[in-house]
């Protein structure tokens, strides 16, 4: 089947471009060294095995004796098309997980002037002792080639795309998250593969290669665990797939491939078009679309004196209350102090226009057991850095209404006896521990 798919890809290429290139070995995980042969109607071919631009003249079979990202550039008579073919060969690496293999010019990662993974030549320490103006803090995008090998050792996708450093404060960590972006200017505008078994989605605009944020030196699956626990609670969450990451043939470790929360996420998950949807972060920071509807809701809540029955009906016209209850119950039980800043509200006029929550970045969850987080979330005053007054306004005002309060208490009791029951959590931890030990 592997060679049939390879043959068909060559056949399609020859039909469209009149060019034939045959490579003896498809991408995959191999148990022993291989000799890669290249044939076709090209006049000459160049290759590289270190992620760089192909510059070695091909003259004999290429011996692959260690994990390698192979780039091949064939030259055809009268050819004006910049043809570049990529293959990844992983050798003697036992895993039950998919493999994400990246080929990239080393300077795009490590060069002081243009490398996205380093401090860079123009960084400096600010008055707090943190680095500023570091390369990894910039929104730079670099071109890479990426290949996804699924659990059947087959290519899920193989394409050129862009890569950026991902995250906020976690960019300072030595182990950084990254995101990859499919763009038509690179050749293909989507990553076309059913990556995540939790969702029936087969095309993605962006994907995050996530370390697990503040949990990067811990379990490396805390946020994934929480997405799994919340899967049946009517909350949006980022689908997940643990992967083994290779860059230029070097093993980087176990990472989490995740959905990226943005306008494409709303379309891929809900069919919400970007022109009619919005995402608001934290207090009122607009991530996508317009913040006008959100500010209208926020200002209404902050000015409201009493949540009587009429006001509650008004609140339900702006906020999906059931969704909000589930979100607050989940975050409070998890004792997630970072839930204040990592809120993502979204709405779409393609649907009912109501705001809903996206579960996002729960790496600081399962915090100090003695912390009375419910009390903090109901406080009208700032109690901690993570609990300013504005972050509690919705729950405080809604709790004034008896129907909401009863629903909240009942849902908390229900969730504590189902999705967040001790046995459910322990079983989920065991599941992911076994998966990540691989």
């Amino acid at each position: 089947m592997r060679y049939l798919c390879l043959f068909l890809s060559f056949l399609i290429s020859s039909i469209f471009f009149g060019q034939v290139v045959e490579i003896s070995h498809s991408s995959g995980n191999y148990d022993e060294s291989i000799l890669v042969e290249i044939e076709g109607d090209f006049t000459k071919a160049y290759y590289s095995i270190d992620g760089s631009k192909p510059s070695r003249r091909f003259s004999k079979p290429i011996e692959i004796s260690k994990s390698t990202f192979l780039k091949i550039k064939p030259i055809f008579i009268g050819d004006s098309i910049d043809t570049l073919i990529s293959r990844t060969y992983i050798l003697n690496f036992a895993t039950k997980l998919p493999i994400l293999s990246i080929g990239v010019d080393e300077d795009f990662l490590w060069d002081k002037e243009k490398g996205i993974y380093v401090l860079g030549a123009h960084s400096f320490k600010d008055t707090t002792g943190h680095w500023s103006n570091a390369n990894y803090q910039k929104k730079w995008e670099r071109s890479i080639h990426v290949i996804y090998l699924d659990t059947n050792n087959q290519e899920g996708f193989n394409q050129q795309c862009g890569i950026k450093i991902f995250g906020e404060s976690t960019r300072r960590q030595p182990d950084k998250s990254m995101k990859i972006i499919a763009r038509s200017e690179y050749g293909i505008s989507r990553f076309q593969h059913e990556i995540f078994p939790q969702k029936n989605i087969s095309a993605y605009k962006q994907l995050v290669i996530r370390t697990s944020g503040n949990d990067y030196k811990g379990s490396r699956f805390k946020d994934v665990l929480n997405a799994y626990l919340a899967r049946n609670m009517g909350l949006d969450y980022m689908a997940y797939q643990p992967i083994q990451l290779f860059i230029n043939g070097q093993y980087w470790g176990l990472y989490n491939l995740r959905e990226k929360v943005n306008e494409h996420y709303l379309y891929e998950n809900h069919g919400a078009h970007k022109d009619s949807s919005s995402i608001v972060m934290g207090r009122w920071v607009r991530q996508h679309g317009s913040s006008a509807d959100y500010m209208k809701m926020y200002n209404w809540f902050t000015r409201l004196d009493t949540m009587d029955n009429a006001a509650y009906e008004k609140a339900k016209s702006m906020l999906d209350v059931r969704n909000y209850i589930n979100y607050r119950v989940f975050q409070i039980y998890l004792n997630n102090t970072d839930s204040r800043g990592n809120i993502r509200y979204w709405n779409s006029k393609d649907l009912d226009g109501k705001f809903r929550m996206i579960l996002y970045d729960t790496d600081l969850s399962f915090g100090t057991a003695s912390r009375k987080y419910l009390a903090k979330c109901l406080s009208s005053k700032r109690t901690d850095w993570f609990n300013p007054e504005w972050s509690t306004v919705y729950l405080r005002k809604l709790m004034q209404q008896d129907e909401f309060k009863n629903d909240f208490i009942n849902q908390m009791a229900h969730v504590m006896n189902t999705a967040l029951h001790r046995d459910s959590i322990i079983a989920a931890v065991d599941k992911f521990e076994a998966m990540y030990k691989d």
Side-chain angles (χ1 to χ4, degrees):
M1 184 66 179
R2 175 198 263 173
Y3 291 101
L4 176 60
C5 293
L6 186 65
F7 172 76
L8 289 175
S9 68
F10 294 149
L11 182 60
I12 292 171
S13 176
S14 66
I15 292 173
F16 282 95
F17 303 110
Q19 302 169 352
V20 176
V21 180
E22 296 182 358
I23 304 171
S24 60
H25 292 74
S26 58
S27 295
N29 196 341
Y30 290 84
D31 295 330
E32 57 187 7
S33 299
I34 57 176
L35 285 175
V36 177
E37 300 189 42
I38 309 171
E39 297 181 352
D41 57 2
F42 49 81
T43 58
K44 56 185 176 181
Y46 297 91
Y47 73 95
S48 69
I49 57 173
D50 58 0
S52 63
K53 181 179 179 180
S55 58
R56 298 186 186 184
R57 178 75 177 266
F58 174 76
S59 59
K60 61 181 180 179
I62 305 166
E63 182 179 4
I64 305 295
S65 57
K66 63 180 182 178
S67 295
T68 299
F69 197 97
L70 176 64
K71 291 183 180 179
I72 302 167
K73 179 174 176 54
I75 306 297
F76 300 89
I77 296 176
D79 178 27
S80 61
I81 300 173
D82 188 14
T83 304
L84 189 62
I85 302 169
S86 296
R87 296 289 183 267
T88 187
Y89 303 115
I90 309 299
L91 266 62
N92 301 311
F93 187 81
T95 184
K96 296 178 182 177
L97 298 175
I99 292 172
L100 191 73
S101 183
I102 290 173
V104 57
D105 189 319
E106 292 281 345
D107 284 349
F108 287 171
L109 295 179
W110 310 116
D111 183 77
K112 289 184 178 181
E113 295 292 338
K114 58 185 176 182
I116 64 173
Y117 213 89
V118 296
L119 275 171
H122 309 289
S123 59
F124 59 91
K125 281 192 175 181
D126 60 23
T127 56
T128 67
H130 291 120
W131 287 103
S132 292
N133 200 43
N135 288 11
Y136 54 67
Q137 292 170 325
K138 301 181 186 299
K139 296 181 179 180
W140 292 347
E141 180 173 331
R142 298 293 182 248
S143 172
I144 65 169
H145 281 78
V146 61
I147 298 175
Y148 182 85
L149 294 177
D150 65 21
T151 54
N152 294 315
N153 205 25
Q154 302 291 321
E155 280 190 3
F157 53 81
N158 178 340
Q159 64 195 80
Q160 187 178 0
C161 66
I163 192 168
K164 294 182 176 183
I165 300 298
F166 175 78
E168 297 299 331
S169 61
T170 55
R171 290 169 178 253
R172 298 189 181 103
Q173 295 170 351
D175 195 4
K176 309 181 196 305
S177 297
M178 298 168 279
K179 70 176 177 180
I180 53 176
I181 309 105
R183 301 188 191 279
S184 56
E185 64 197 69
Y186 293 123
I188 305 175
S189 63
R190 293 294 186 274
F191 300 106
Q192 297 178 345
H193 186 65
E194 291 190 8
I195 301 167
F196 307 111
Q198 308 90 34
K199 297 184 179 181
N200 186 27
I201 301 174
S202 58
Y204 295 90
K205 179 68 174 177
Q206 299 182 14
L207 295 166
V208 177
I209 307 168
R210 198 167 186 273
T211 62
S212 200
N214 290 299
D215 182 46
Y216 82 103
K217 291 197 295 185
S219 69
R220 289 184 82 92
F221 64 68
K222 192 186 289 186
D223 191 65
V224 166
L225 167 71
N226 292 332
Y228 175 78
L229 292 172
R231 69 195 185 282
N232 295 322
M233 291 182 61
L235 296 173
D236 280 292
Y237 64 89
M238 298 177 292
Y240 52 85
Q241 175 60 62
I243 57 163
Q244 306 286 8
L245 178 64
F246 284 78
I247 297 184
N248 292 342
Q250 298 294 315
Y251 178 58
W252 274 45
L254 192 151
Y255 287 69
N256 299 294
L257 200 60
R258 307 294 299 272
E259 289 179 285
K260 174 71 174 70
V261 173
N262 53 22
E263 66 273 23
H264 305 293
Y265 174 95
L266 298 183
Y267 180 76
E268 291 156 4
N269 282 268
H270 298 285
H273 291 85
K274 65 178 182 179
D275 295 335
S276 61
S277 60
S278 64
I279 302 175
V280 177
M281 307 184 297
R283 188 177 188 178
W284 53 37
V285 178
R286 180 182 64 85
Q287 177 182 341
H288 165 69
S290 170
S291 61
D293 288 346
Y294 178 79
M295 292 308 302
K296 180 180 178 181
M297 179 179 73
Y298 176 83
N299 289 329
W300 181 85
F301 266 90
T302 55
R303 293 167 183 166
L304 182 70
D305 290 326
T306 304
M307 183 68 72
D308 57 22
N309 291 342
Y312 188 48
E313 291 302 314
K314 174 70 172 177
K316 289 194 291 185
S317 72
M318 297 182 285
L319 181 69
D320 186 323
V321 170
R322 172 55 60 181
N323 176 270
Y324 183 76
I325 288 174
N326 283 335
Y327 178 82
R328 295 308 302 171
V329 163
F330 193 79
Q331 294 280 25
I332 289 168
Y333 186 87
L334 264 57
N335 209 338
N336 181 21
T337 57
D338 210 21
S339 61
R340 177 269 310 181
N342 281 324
I343 293 174
R344 296 295 186 275
Y345 302 91
W346 73 274
N347 78 334
S348 173
K349 291 181 172 61
D350 289 336
L351 305 177
D352 56 13
K354 295 181 181 181
F355 279 94
R356 294 173 172 84
M357 320 297 289
I358 302 174
L359 188 65
Y360 183 85
D361 191 354
T362 61
D363 302 313
L364 290 180
S365 60
F366 297 101
T368 305
S370 61
R371 183 189 297 125
K372 297 179 180 179
Y373 196 43
L374 174 58
K376 293 178 184 293
C377 290
L378 292 172
S379 175
S380 60
K381 297 180 180 180
R382 178 189 178 108
T383 61
D384 303 273
W385 67 267
F386 56 79
N387 202 55
E389 180 182 348
W390 62 261
S391 70
T392 67
V393 64
Y394 294 113
L395 189 58
R396 281 190 287 112
K397 296 294 179 72
L398 287 165
M399 278 292 195
Q400 296 174 4
Q401 210 278 338
D402 288 340
E403 180 184 342
F404 177 90
K405 183 186 293 186
N406 290 334
D407 285 347
F408 184 91
I409 293 170
N410 289 334
Q411 187 65 0
M412 175 69 84
H414 172 70
V415 171
M416 287 175 65
N417 281 284
T418 53
L420 295 178
H421 188 274
R422 177 180 181 275
D423 293 344
S424 299
I425 295 175
I426 291 175
V429 170
D430 290 343
K431 169 188 172 74
F432 285 103
E433 181 184 21
M435 184 187 303
Y436 280 61
K437 279 184 176 179
D438 187 33

